[in-house]
Amino acid sequence: MQLQLPEASVEAQRASRLLHNLIATEIRLQQGWISFARYMELLLYAPDLGYYSGGAAKLGKDGDFTTAPEITPLFGAALAHLATELFTSSPSLQPQILEFGAGSGQLAFDILSELAAGSDEKSALQGYYIVELSAELRARQQLKLREFPQVQWLDRLPEAFSGVVLGNEVLDAMPVELVVLGEQGQGWQQRGVGLSGNDQFIYIDRPADPALIAQIPEADTLTPGHLTEVHPVAIGFMHSLGAMLKAGRGGVAIFFDYGFPAAEYYLQQRDQGTLMCHYRHHAHPDPFYMPGLQDVTAHVDFTAMAVAALDSGLELLGYSSQAAFLLEAGIGQLLLRTSPENALQYLPQANAMQKLVSPAEMGELFKVLVVGMAAELPERFSRHDRSHRL
């Protein structure tokens, strides 16, 4: 199928060809096959050429997608107040925030701005830490956050941390493996990437390691041709998160992302998986198109994330829709700081908030997973908790 997408600049096409050649070289060095997770890792993070490590604009109206912090500062303001509430109610938590993958820096900017506007001493942070793997995004963040000296950048998760951890659309950007159930007698296959005769990327299947298939509930009930993703990289990340918070003796980690519990993720109706590509606000399914110029993501299996957190010694503190979580975090009250009678200012903010909480937009598609130790969410969050669905 020929994709009808905006044409890339000559410079962008050149960068894409360089990344294509780099990946092709690795495939040859690996006897003609690499896993899809390795291919996706190179697409997104290859130094200077990957989607997140290159220099192309990615976020906002001129980029490939828009995230909640780019839509309205009310998102960050609500999280600022929730973090302050968590610090106050949980003595084991240090008053500091760690954000993993901070994008343009907008969420950090909005949280820090909201805390700075508060007169309450409890709003004071000891530090705001950002783990950012992309040098280009880190440079954008440093410019955006230059007025906040408490921000520090890290290259990896620290060994120990106590406080609030935030991840907005982080888990979906972690490389996934593709597996497909072969025809009768073939069993599950791991779908990797090889090269055609004219050096184009193609899928090549190999027998799958049973450990990959173990994530899929009732895998033996699915029908031949069923294609899906499994998430070993994100599971490993959750294990590292658990070790970090245990070493810090207390913490709350909040993840916003689109996805499903396992019982819904692996339904027969999703027999071609959830992998999706985003290029200049166009969504399409071809991960081989213009390597390095498009985002490649998959929905999150929240059951697998919760199980990994529990296995690492953390507790499941909550799982809900984004709409329910933000409303309990007080986003509606924050909107009302602007009078509805001031239509010129109120209506744009109300419309932006509506995008975050409407079931027809991000409110239901996006979920919130909260894990941690030596801390709890405020009681009101239990009213819409869906942990029983995981």
Side-chain angles (χ1 to χ4, degrees):
M1 181 182 68
Q2 187 69 29
L3 296 174
Q4 301 295 321
L5 296 173
E7 187 172 356
S9 68
V10 172
E11 181 182 359
Q13 291 182 45
R14 178 179 174 275
S16 181
R17 284 194 298 272
L18 288 173
L19 180 56
H20 183 287
N21 294 340
L22 182 142
I23 297 173
T25 297
E26 174 153 337
I27 291 173
R28 293 188 195 95
L29 290 173
Q30 298 299 324
Q31 287 74 53
W33 189 92
I34 59 174
S35 72
F36 187 82
R38 176 57 178 163
Y39 173 76
M40 187 171 168
E41 179 185 0
L42 291 169
L43 282 185
L44 301 180
Y45 303 108
D48 301 321
L49 295 173
Y51 181 77
Y52 286 111
S53 51
K58 300 162 182 68
L59 302 166
K61 63 181 178 62
D62 297 323
D64 300 314
F65 56 90
T66 301
T67 64
E70 309 290 330
I71 293 171
T72 172
L74 294 174
F75 182 81
L79 291 181
H81 287 276
L82 175 59
T84 299
E85 191 174 357
L86 289 169
F87 297 145
T88 303
S89 62
S90 304
S92 60
L93 268 61
Q94 296 297 311
Q96 52 189 2
I97 292 174
L98 172 65
E99 185 179 357
F100 193 88
S104 68
Q106 187 65 51
L107 177 56
F109 181 88
D110 294 335
I111 290 173
L112 291 165
S113 297
E114 185 70 20
L115 293 177
S119 58
D120 192 340
E121 288 185 3
K122 296 172 183 175
S123 298
L125 279 185
Q126 289 181 354
Y128 195 111
Y129 303 92
I130 294 175
V131 178
E132 182 54 68
L133 305 180
S134 164
E136 184 261 337
L137 287 176
R138 180 184 290 206
R140 290 178 64 184
Q141 294 159 13
Q142 289 171 337
L143 182 63
K144 179 82 175 177
L145 301 170
R146 60 189 180 279
E147 296 179 6
F148 297 102
Q150 63 268 58
V151 181
Q152 297 181 47
W153 279 264
L154 308 174
D155 294 322
R156 60 183 64 85
L157 289 176
E159 291 187 6
F161 180 82
S162 173
V164 172
V165 179
L166 299 175
N168 181 54
E169 295 195 56
V170 165
L171 298 174
D172 71 86
M174 295 187 180
V176 296
E177 295 288 9
L178 298 182
V179 293
V180 60
L181 184 57
E183 295 303 320
Q184 202 69 30
Q186 289 183 326
W188 282 95
Q189 304 288 305
Q190 181 179 0
R191 179 153 288 180
V193 180
L195 294 170
S196 69
N198 59 351
D199 266 6
Q200 297 304 302
F201 296 133
I202 57 172
Y203 287 126
I204 299 177
D205 296 344
R206 290 184 173 183
D209 185 332
L212 288 178
I213 310 307
Q215 183 181 320
I216 305 173
E218 301 182 11
D220 56 349
T221 67
L222 300 177
T223 57
H226 193 111
L227 171 70
T228 191
E229 306 89 24
V230 289
H231 305 76
V233 175
I235 288 171
F237 169 80
M238 295 300 288
H239 287 153
S240 298
L241 173 79
M244 178 188 77
L245 294 182
K246 284 178 65 179
R249 301 188 177 181
V252 175
I254 306 171
F255 295 99
F256 294 81
D257 231 312
Y258 45 89
F260 311 99
E264 298 174 27
Y265 198 103
Y266 300 104
L267 286 174
Q268 187 66 46
Q269 68 194 57
R270 293 195 181 88
D271 63 352
Q272 293 307 298
T274 69
L275 196 78
M276 189 57 62
C277 308
H278 300 274
Y279 176 68
R280 291 170 65 177
H281 292 282
H282 290 70
H284 68 90
D286 183 6
F288 299 153
Y289 178 80
M290 289 289 182
L293 302 188
Q294 63 175 358
D295 190 21
V296 179
T297 71
H299 283 52
V300 176
D301 174 353
F302 281 109
T303 299
M305 300 305 105
V307 168
L310 293 171
D311 287 347
S312 67
L314 300 182
E315 298 175 14
L316 175 59
L317 304 182
Y319 172 67
S320 70
S321 69
Q322 176 173 285
F325 188 89
L326 290 178
L327 290 170
E328 295 296 356
I331 196 170
Q333 291 91 323
L334 293 172
L335 170 65
L336 292 176
R337 293 188 301 194
T338 301
S339 171
E341 295 180 2
N342 184 350
L344 194 62
Q345 292 186 17
Y346 177 82
L347 287 178
Q349 293 187 53
N351 289 337
M353 190 191 87
Q354 183 73 0
K355 289 183 180 180
L356 299 188
V357 302
S358 168
E361 302 221 29
M362 298 172 69
E364 185 59 37
L365 175 63
F366 277 69
K367 310 299 193 304
V368 185
L369 178 70
V370 187
V371 297
M373 66 173 300
E376 292 183 353
L377 283 173
E379 177 62 29
R380 64 185 183 277
F381 283 86
S382 65
R383 289 183 291 202
H384 302 285
D385 186 69
R386 300 180 182 178
S387 296
H388 60 281
R389 297 191 187 180
L390 292 171

